[in-house]
């Protein structure tokens, strides 16, 4: 299809850009010539346009231009523009600033100088010089000629760049930090007129390597260590070396060393965490390091002072040491090795080897010991403890030992019921302190025991098979250990047997294989009802429970009364009061609770007791409800003139009588009241027909059946212990046995002890005689207004107004006598303690060969000395009262309390007068005490060193 011809009337203007790369035409319609594409091409050629267009393109663009409403220039020809030049550029792919250098780098870069970029210039300069040349003919002289040569001159020229830093990083010496991409000058172009158009030249196409950077072809390499700065067309390195440091182990791995090579002054020293992390990498125990403060101070000081450190120890100093230990049983030998730490001296292993060889230990494996010690030195361990050098053979123990119990335990049903009772009964018993360690819940067996009864037997020791110690010597085979056994109250171990020290109930239990044993005083309460022969009275005896025994229930009383056949005349209120009494721990003996009635024509009288008869109870209940097993109600004491009982006159009976068993009495069946009066009891007839029984001496009232008797002395058949209780009697006391620890005997007459005295108290107004000795344990006290006679005494206090006489010895005793201390016998002696005797002492030996301190004082009235001490104590009390009143007076004066002030002044005046009287009394006593009495010290044997006589 033929193209449509284009023609338009108007004017055409042709224009070019600066390098004639493009040509544009502008068509303005109106008056003028008629223009076609062909005519436009002619105009272009007339103006030199020879390339960059095609006729078709011209036709197309001309057609579009003539259709425009507003004339606009349109492209008619395009040449080839020159290529854009590209300057050198650098790439830094791996360049970065480490996190731990960020803060330090910022400080250094802020104060760094501007980039100083220089380039090297080479210039060839022609120069002349004179040279001497030899003549070609040997007989002619040399010729001097002038020659030209070229010399290269090298100089440096400063290049000024934009100092803006676009990127930073860190590099070490020799590290490649970047790559330079080559520059491109660009290709020349062609204009529409056919002429070449050169590319645009760049002001500075180069990339520069500044200070600290070397460029080799296209590679940029750091020539120093430091901080890298990158600009638009440059790179340099600011010198910055981090501190070079290291942590390493000593050859024996016992000590950790720190080395330090200082870097830049702004570089941070290694942190405590970094040093410890390096130590952990080496598997070094951190607890051996010096303190955290010392480590930080060491690194910071070295960095601040720019000081190099080499193998500075981070471990405390300790000399190396070793010890060869042999166990007490000589069955094993061990070695302890302690490596040296820090700058401490190392162990001399040759000396160790020599000591092992001379130790006389057998079975030493020197090769193994050497290998193990070598391995120890290669390890990080600082100590090799309890290293087994050698061991002997253990002796084989003898056959197993047993515990054989000889008590007949109760059957399981009865025992279970009793153990259940003990869970409540053990609580309030004051004397049983083992309840916490041996509670009732752990009791498995119970059985009755008597005093001094064999309870347990431990099988004897049998030696075992011998062994060998580390020196090759034989060690005897020990007997098997004794089965574990724990004894509590009222049991005593004597050799291989265990005995009960009181009668009561044995408790047995187990705790983790240990046999637990205890004896508690135990007796159930009991009821006994008797009817007189004439059946006119019924008597009841109530014994209270003792120790952990069961208390009497009232229904048991009722049952016993019924079984005795008593059905009439009972006083129920009296029975209830008796039951309350026995529940309180008091015994009721022969209480008449029921009476019959006589027939009217017969006569009878009645007996009225005027003293409280001792209950005979094995325990006394204190006011706080606790049990007292020492102060028992066993003795009825009376004084001269005490009215004991009354016998009332007979009365007429007019009614029919009956017995307590319910039998009806007819005339002639009633019985009269009769009594038997014994020694020291007087019968007085009263005006109203009453007969009164009166004690004629001080002593113990014995009332048994119808007999009344007063004994001037009291006899204890056995020991004074839990069975008898403490003894306090207004007369002479005779004890056939011993006085046990914790008890006392007090009498207004003499005291006779058949056996020994332990840590007890004897106090008498008369004489005291102990047939055996006193083992006081520092707690026994013997005091009397008469004399003291004994066999020996150990660790006791003896106070006597009269003489003190002993057949054996006084050892570590405190003796005070207002008479003489006489030791009788060829072997008698006084050793230790303090003896004060007004009339002196006689003994065979005084003191001991060991020089025990023994003090003897004599020639003065020591009762007066006691009075002085007593008065002085009382004076101190009065002085304290006066001081308190003085304080109260000051307080009352401040508050204006006049009435109280007057009362206090009166009280103070009374106290001051009392103080004056006591002061005069002390003065008088002192004068009397200073009086010396005729006395002497007589030692017939040896007077030993350490004795002080004054």
């Amino acid at each position: 299809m033929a193209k449509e011809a284009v023609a338009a009337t108007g004017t055409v203007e042709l224009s070019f850009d600066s390098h004639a790369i493009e040509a544009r035409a502008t068509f303005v319609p109106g008056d003028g010539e008629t223009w076609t594409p062909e005519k436009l091409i002619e105009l272009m050629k007339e103006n030199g346009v020879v390339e960059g267009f095609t006729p078709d393109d011209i036709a197309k663009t001309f057609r579009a231009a003539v259709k425009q409403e507003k004339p606009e220039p349109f492209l008619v020809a395009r040449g080839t523009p020159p290529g854009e030049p590209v300057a050198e550029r650098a790439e830094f792919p791996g360049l970065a600033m480490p996190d731990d250098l960020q803060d330090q780098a910022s400080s250094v870069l802020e104060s760094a100088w501007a980039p100083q970029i220089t380039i090297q210039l080479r210039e060839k300069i022609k120069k002349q010089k004179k040279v001497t040349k030899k003549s070609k003919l040997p007989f002619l002289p040399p010729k001097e000629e002038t020659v030209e040569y070229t010399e290269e001159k090298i100089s440096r020229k400063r290049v000024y760049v934009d100092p803006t830093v676009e990127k930073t990083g860190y590099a070490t010496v020799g590290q490649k930090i970047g790559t330079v991409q080559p520059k491109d000058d660009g290709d020349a172009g062609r204009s529409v007129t056919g002429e070449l158009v050169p590319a645009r030249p760049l002001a500075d196409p180069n990339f520069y390597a500044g200070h600290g950077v070397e460029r080799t072809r296209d590679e940029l390499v750091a020539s120093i260590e430091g901080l890298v700065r990158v600009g638009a067309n440059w790179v340099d390195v600011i010198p910055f070396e981090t501190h070079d440091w290291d942590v390493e182990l000593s050859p024996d791995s016992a000590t950790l060393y720190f080395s330090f090579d200082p870097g830049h002054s702004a570089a941070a020293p290694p942190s405590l965490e970094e040093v410890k992390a390096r130590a952990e990498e080496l598997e070094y125990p951190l607890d051996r390091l010096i303190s955290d403060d010392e480590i930080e101070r060491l690194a910071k000081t070295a960095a601040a002072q720019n000081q190099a450190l080499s193998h500075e120890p981070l471990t405390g100093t300790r000399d190396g040491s070793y010890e060869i230990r042999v166990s007490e049983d000589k069955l094993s030998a061990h070695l302890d090795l302690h490596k040296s730490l820090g700058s401490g001296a190392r162990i001399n292993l040759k000396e160790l080897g020599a000591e092992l060889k001379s130790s006389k230990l057998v079975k030493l494996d020197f090769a193994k010991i050497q290998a193990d010690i070598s391995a120890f030195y290669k390890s990080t361990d600082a100590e090799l403890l309890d290293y087994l050098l050698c061991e002997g053979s253990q002796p084989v123990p003898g056959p197993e030992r047993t515990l054989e119990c000889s008590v007949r335990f109760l059957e399981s049903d009865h025992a279970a019921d009793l153990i259940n009772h003990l869970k409540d009964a053990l609580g309030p018993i004051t004397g049983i302190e083992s309840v916490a360690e041996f509670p009732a819940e752990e009791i498995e067996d119970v059985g009755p025991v008597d005093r001094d009864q064999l309870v347990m037997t431990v099988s004897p020791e049998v030696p075992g098979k011998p062994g060998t110690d580390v020196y090759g010597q034989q060690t005897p085979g020990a007997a098997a250990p004794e089965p574990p056994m724990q004894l509590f109250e009222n049991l005593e171990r004597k050799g291989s047997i265990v005995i009960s020290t009181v009668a009561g109930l044995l408790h047995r239990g187990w705790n983790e294989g240990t046999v637990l044993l205890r004896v508690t005083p135990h007796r159930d309460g009991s009821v006994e009802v008797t009817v007189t022969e004439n059946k006119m009275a019924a008597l009841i005896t109530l014994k209270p429970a003792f120790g952990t025994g069961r208390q009497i229930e009232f229904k048991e009383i009722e049952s016993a009364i019924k079984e005795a056949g008593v059905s009439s005349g009972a006083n129920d209120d009296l029975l209830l009061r008796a039951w309350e009494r026995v529940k309180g721990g008091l015994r009721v003996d022969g209480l008449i609770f029921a009476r019959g009635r006589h027939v009217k024509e017969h006569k009878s009288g009645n007996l009225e007791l005027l003293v409280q008869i001792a209950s005979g109870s094995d325990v006394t209940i204190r006011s706080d409800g606790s049990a007292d097993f020492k102060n028992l109600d066993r003795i009825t004491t009376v004084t001269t003139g005490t009215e004991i009982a009354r016998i009332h006159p007979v009365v007429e009976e007019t009614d029919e009588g009956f017995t307590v068993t319910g039998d009806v009495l007819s005339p002639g069946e009633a019985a009269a009241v009769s009594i038997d009066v014994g020694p020291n009891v007087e019968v007085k007839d009263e005006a109203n027909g009453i007969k009164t029984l009166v004690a004629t001496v001080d002593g113990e009232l014995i009332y048994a059946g119808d007999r009344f008797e007063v004994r001037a002395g009291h006899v204890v058949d056995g020991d004074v212990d839990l069975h008898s209780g403490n003894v306090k009697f207004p007369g002479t006391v005779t004890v056939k046995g011993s006085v046990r620890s914790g008890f006392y005997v007090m009498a207004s007459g003499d005291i006779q002890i058949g056996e020994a005295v332990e840590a007890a108290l004897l106090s008498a107004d008369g004489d005291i005689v102990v047939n055996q000795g006193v083992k006081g344990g520092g707690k026994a006290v013997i005091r009397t207004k008469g004399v003291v006679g004994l066999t020996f005494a150990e660790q006791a206090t003896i106070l006597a107004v009269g003489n003190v006489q002993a057949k054996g010895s006084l050892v570590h005793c405190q003796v005070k006598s207002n008479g003489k201390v006489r030791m009788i016998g060829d072997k008698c002696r006084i050793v230790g303690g303090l003896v004060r005797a007004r009339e002196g002492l006689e003994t065979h030996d005084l003191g001991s060969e060991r020089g025990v301190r023994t003090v003897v004082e004599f020639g003065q009235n020591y009762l007066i000395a006691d009075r002085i001490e007593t008065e002085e104590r009382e004076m101190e009390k009065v002085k304290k009262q006066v001081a308190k009143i003085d304080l109260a007076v000051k307080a009352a004066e401040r508050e204006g309390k006049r009435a109280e002030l007057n009362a206090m002044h009166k009280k103070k005046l009374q106290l001051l007068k009392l103080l004056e009287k006591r002061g005069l009394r002390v003065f008088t006593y002192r004068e009397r005490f200073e009086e010396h009495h005729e006395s002497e010290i007589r030692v017939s044997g040896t007077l030993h060193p350490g004795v002080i006589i004054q």
Side-chain angles (χ1 to χ4, degrees):
M1 179 176 178
K3 293 183 180 179
E4 179 182 357
V6 179
T9 303
T11 59
V12 174
E13 292 182 0
L14 198 62
S15 60
F16 299 90
D17 60 8
S18 59
H19 294 289
I21 299 300
E22 291 182 347
R24 294 181 181 274
T26 302
F27 174 72
V28 179
D31 296 336
E33 300 178 31
T34 300
W35 290 89
T36 64
E38 293 78 9
K39 188 175 180 179
L40 177 58
I41 291 172
E42 290 177 1
L43 177 62
M44 292 166 55
K45 289 181 178 180
E46 290 176 358
N47 285 276
V49 178
V50 297
E51 58 184 57
F53 66 91
T54 63
D56 290 340
D57 291 336
I58 296 298
K60 186 187 296 183
T61 56
F62 183 73
R63 185 181 297 108
V66 298
K67 293 181 180 181
Q68 292 179 358
E69 295 180 359
K70 184 178 179 181
E72 293 288 343
F74 57 92
L75 182 68
V76 292
R78 181 190 298 274
T80 301
E84 280 295 322
V86 178
E88 287 182 331
R89 62 192 183 280
E91 296 177 352
F92 303 90
L95 184 63
M97 186 69 72
D99 292 340
D100 58 345
L101 293 182
Q102 291 288 348
D103 294 340
Q104 306 163 58
S106 297
S107 174
V108 174
L109 290 172
E110 285 178 5
S111 59
W113 59 82
Q116 305 288 325
I117 308 297
T118 60
I119 58 174
Q120 190 178 65
L121 300 178
R122 296 177 180 271
E123 181 183 0
K124 292 185 178 181
I125 301 173
K126 290 184 178 182
K127 292 187 176 182
Q128 293 181 344
K129 63 179 179 178
K130 292 181 178 182
V131 297
T132 302
K133 291 186 176 182
K134 292 182 179 180
S135 175
K136 294 180 180 180
L137 298 175
F139 54 85
L140 292 178
K143 297 169 80 176
E144 189 178 82
E145 296 182 356
T146 299
V147 297
E148 290 187 352
Y149 67 95
T150 302
E151 186 179 82
E152 188 176 45
K153 180 180 179 183
I154 300 176
S155 60
R156 301 202 68 83
K157 177 184 177 183
R158 171 89 180 264
V159 177
Y160 295 93
V161 295
D162 181 359
T164 303
V165 177
E166 298 178 351
K167 187 174 185 180
T168 60
Y170 179 78
T172 57
V173 177
Q175 178 182 338
K176 178 181 175 182
I177 57 177
T179 303
V180 179
Q181 301 297 325
K183 63 183 178 180
D184 186 355
D185 293 332
D187 298 327
R190 290 180 65 86
S191 67
V192 292
T193 60
E195 296 177 351
L196 289 175
V197 179
R200 176 178 60 84
L202 296 174
D204 189 352
N206 299 316
F207 190 89
Y208 299 103
H211 180 266
V213 180
E214 292 183 356
R215 177 174 175 176
T216 304
R217 295 184 180 86
D218 61 345
E219 290 187 350
L220 297 172
V221 178
S223 60
I224 62 174
E225 180 181 353
L227 305 176
V228 180
R229 298 189 299 182
V230 178
N233 63 339
W234 58 273
V235 62
D236 67 357
V237 176
I238 303 299
F240 182 84
E241 292 185 37
T242 58
H243 302 301
D244 187 15
W245 61 276
D246 193 17
V247 172
E248 58 185 316
L249 291 171
S250 61
D252 62 0
S253 300
T255 300
L256 194 68
Y257 291 116
F258 176 69
S259 296
F260 182 81
D261 185 12
H264 195 278
S265 60
S271 66
L272 174 65
E273 290 73 19
E274 290 174 320
V275 174
K276 284 189 171 181
R278 191 74 60 85
E280 288 179 332
E281 291 175 6
L282 297 173
E283 299 181 354
Y284 190 82
L286 298 183
D287 57 358
R288 291 191 212 155
L289 297 178
I290 57 179
S291 69
D292 293 351
D293 290 343
E294 290 177 298
I295 295 174
E296 287 186 321
R297 186 164 53 250
L298 181 67
K300 289 181 178 178
T301 301
Q305 297 179 355
N306 198 33
Q307 177 186 7
L309 300 177
S310 178
H311 291 83
E312 189 72 23
L314 293 179
T315 309
T317 298
R318 182 187 71 187
D319 289 342
S321 63
Y322 65 85
E323 181 184 6
I324 300 171
R325 294 183 292 101
V326 177
S327 62
E328 289 186 9
D329 57 10
K330 299 182 181 179
L331 290 177
S332 63
H334 292 81
L335 172 67
D336 290 343
L337 282 177
H338 301 270
K339 290 180 182 177
S340 62
L341 299 178
S343 57
R346 299 190 64 186
I347 298 175
N348 189 325
L349 295 180
K350 290 184 178 180
E351 289 182 2
L352 173 59
E355 188 168 338
L356 285 173
K357 290 178 181 178
S358 63
S359 65
K360 298 182 181 181
L361 297 173
V362 298
K363 300 181 181 179
L364 288 177
D365 188 345
F366 285 99
K368 182 178 183 302
I369 294 172
Q370 184 176 3
D372 291 343
I373 292 177
S374 177
F376 162 65
Y377 265 83
K378 292 178 182 178
S379 73
T380 58
D381 296 335
E383 298 173 331
L384 177 63
L385 302 178
D386 293 326
Y387 175 77
L388 182 63
L389 293 170
C390 61
E391 57 184 340
S393 59
Q394 285 276 3
V396 179
E400 182 179 359
R401 301 174 66 189
T402 60
L403 298 176
E404 298 178 6
C405 189
S406 56
V407 175
R408 293 186 179 183
F409 292 105
L410 301 178
E411 296 295 333
S412 58
D413 292 343
H414 187 190
D417 180 57
L418 185 53
I419 292 171
N420 190 52
H421 161 71
L422 291 174
K423 292 179 181 178
D424 296 325
L426 280 177
I429 299 300
T430 304
I432 309 302
E433 298 179 353
S434 62
V435 175
E437 295 181 76
F438 186 10
E441 289 76 12
E442 293 186 6
I443 301 174
E444 298 191 18
D445 299 300
V446 291
V449 293
D450 293 326
R451 182 182 177 187
D452 294 332
Q453 177 178 334
L454 175 65
V455 172
M456 187 76 70
T457 303
V458 184
S459 61
E461 296 182 349
V462 179
K465 181 180 177 182
T468 305
D469 66 17
V470 292
Y471 298 109
Q473 302 297 319
Q474 193 177 71
T475 56
E482 180 181 302
M485 173 176 60
Q486 191 169 4
L487 304 181
F488 295 102
E489 289 85 359
N490 304 316
L491 290 168
E492 182 179 354
R493 175 78 179 263
K494 293 186 175 181
S496 62
I497 65 172
V498 177
I499 64 170
S500 171
T501 59
V502 299
L505 189 68
L506 175 70
H507 306 170
R508 182 173 70 175
W510 282 267
N511 183 5
E512 298 181 356
T514 300
V515 178
L516 309 178
L517 296 173
R518 170 178 60 213
V519 172
T520 59
H522 183 92
R523 185 185 67 208
D524 290 340
S526 62
V527 183
E528 182 183 354
V529 177
T530 58
V531 178
T532 59
E533 291 183 6
N534 59 9
K535 298 182 181 180
M536 293 303 293
L539 296 85
I540 189 167
T541 296
L542 302 176
K543 295 181 180 179
F546 177 62
T548 55
R550 299 177 188 268
Q551 293 286 0
I552 301 171
E553 298 292 339
F554 193 74
K555 62 183 179 181
E556 296 179 58
I557 298 175
E558 294 176 327
S559 177
I561 292 173
K562 185 177 181 181
E563 289 178 5
V566 178
S567 59
S568 301
N571 186 334
D572 293 335
D573 183 59
L574 183 63
L575 286 173
L576 285 171
R577 292 202 305 272
W579 181 53
E580 291 294 333
R581 179 181 175 87
V582 80
K583 284 198 300 181
L586 300 177
R587 176 170 174 158
V588 176
D589 277 313
L591 174 67
I592 300 176
F593 70 93
R595 293 182 183 274
R597 190 173 67 196
H598 296 277
V599 294
K600 67 176 182 178
E601 66 269 28
H602 289 270
K603 299 178 180 181
S604 65
N606 67 334
L607 177 68
E608 177 187 3
L609 290 175
L610 301 178
V611 295
Q612 179 69 45
I613 304 299
S615 66
S617 172
D618 291 335
V619 64
T620 300
I621 304 302
R622 300 188 182 98
S623 59
D624 60 358
S626 61
D628 184 352
F629 294 98
K630 293 183 178 180
N631 296 304
L632 309 182
D633 190 15
R634 294 287 181 85
I635 304 173
T636 304
T637 60
V638 295
T639 59
T640 302
T642 299
E643 295 183 350
I644 300 171
R646 291 193 185 98
I647 303 172
H648 291 274
V650 296
V651 296
E652 293 289 338
E653 298 287 350
T654 57
D655 296 328
E656 192 177 59
F658 60 85
T659 66
V660 294
T661 57
D663 298 330
V664 177
L665 294 179
S666 299
E669 295 181 357
V673 175
S674 64
I675 61 169
D676 182 12
V677 176
N680 302 319
V681 177
E682 178 184 7
V683 179
K684 291 184 177 181
D685 294 324
E686 304 292 343
N688 54 5
I690 296 174
K691 295 182 182 294
T692 303
L693 305 185
V694 180
T696 60
V697 296
D698 296 346
E700 179 181 6
L701 173 64
I702 305 299
Y703 172 46
D706 294 332
R707 181 177 176 82
F708 288 89
E709 175 184 343
V710 176
R711 295 176 182 174
H714 175 69
V715 178
V716 178
D717 289 332
D719 294 343
V720 176
D721 55 10
L722 285 172
H723 181 71
S724 67
N726 291 321
V727 177
K728 187 175 182 180
F729 187 72
T732 298
V733 175
T734 300
V735 179
K736 294 182 178 180
S738 299
V739 182
R740 300 298 180 184
S741 296
F743 290 86
Y744 66 74
V745 177
M746 302 176 71
S748 60
D750 298 338
I751 295 178
Q752 294 278 344
I753 307 298
E755 295 180 1
V757 176
E758 296 177 355
L761 166 66
L762 302 184
S763 179
D765 290 344
D767 297 338
I768 296 178
V769 177
V770 181
N771 289 328
Q772 295 183 13
V774 178
K775 292 187 176 181
K779 296 181 179 180
V781 177
I782 314 295
R783 66 189 184 195
T784 177
K785 295 180 181 178
V787 301
V788 173
L790 43 80
T791 303
F792 70 89
E794 297 177 359
Q795 293 183 300
T797 298
I798 302 173
L799 309 172
V801 176
N803 295 340
V804 175
Q805 182 172 299
K807 296 179 181 179
S809 60
L810 296 177
V811 180
H812 292 292
C813 292
Q814 304 290 317
V815 181
K816 189 181 294 184
S817 168
N818 243 30
K820 177 177 285 189
V821 176
R822 297 182 66 243
M823 307 298 295
I824 303 173
D826 295 338
K827 296 182 179 180
C828 65
R829 59 178 184 153
I830 298 177
V831 179
L834 169 64
V835 177
R836 291 176 173 175
R838 186 179 71 171
E839 297 178 5
L841 65 81
E842 296 177 6
T843 183
H844 186 270
D845 293 337
L846 186 57
S848 71
E849 295 177 353
R850 297 184 179 181
V852 175
R853 177 184 172 88
T854 306
V855 181
V856 177
E857 298 179 3
F858 68 106
Q860 292 177 292
N861 188 328
Y862 295 106
L863 293 180
I864 296 297
D866 290 343
R867 294 178 184 177
I868 292 173
E869 291 178 3
T870 301
E871 290 295 336
E872 288 179 340
R873 284 196 299 269
E874 292 301 321
M875 288 175 68
E876 287 299 321
K877 292 179 181 178
V878 173
K879 289 178 181 179
K880 290 180 180 179
Q881 289 179 310
V882 171
K884 288 182 179 179
I885 291 176
D886 287 340
L887 292 175
V889 165
K890 291 181 180 179
E893 287 176 346
R894 288 195 300 269
E895 297 174 6
K897 298 179 178 179
R898 295 295 179 185
E900 294 182 8
L901 280 171
N902 292 333
M904 285 187 283
H905 283 310
K906 290 181 181 179
K907 180 64 175 177
K908 180 178 178 181
L909 184 59
Q910 292 174 355
L911 292 174
L912 290 176
K913 289 181 179 180
L914 178 60
L915 194 62
E916 182 180 1
K917 289 181 180 180
R918 290 192 181 277
L920 290 173
R921 200 174 299 162
V922 168
F923 179 79
T924 303
Y925 286 154
R926 287 189 184 279
E927 285 186 336
R928 292 175 59 187
F929 182 66
E930 292 299 325
E931 296 176 0
H932 291 276
H933 299 268
E934 184 176 348
S935 59
E936 65 177 355
I937 302 296
R938 180 171 295 181
V939 180
S940 59
T942 304
L943 179 63
H944 292 283
V947 176
I948 300 173
I949 300 176
Q950 57 189 24

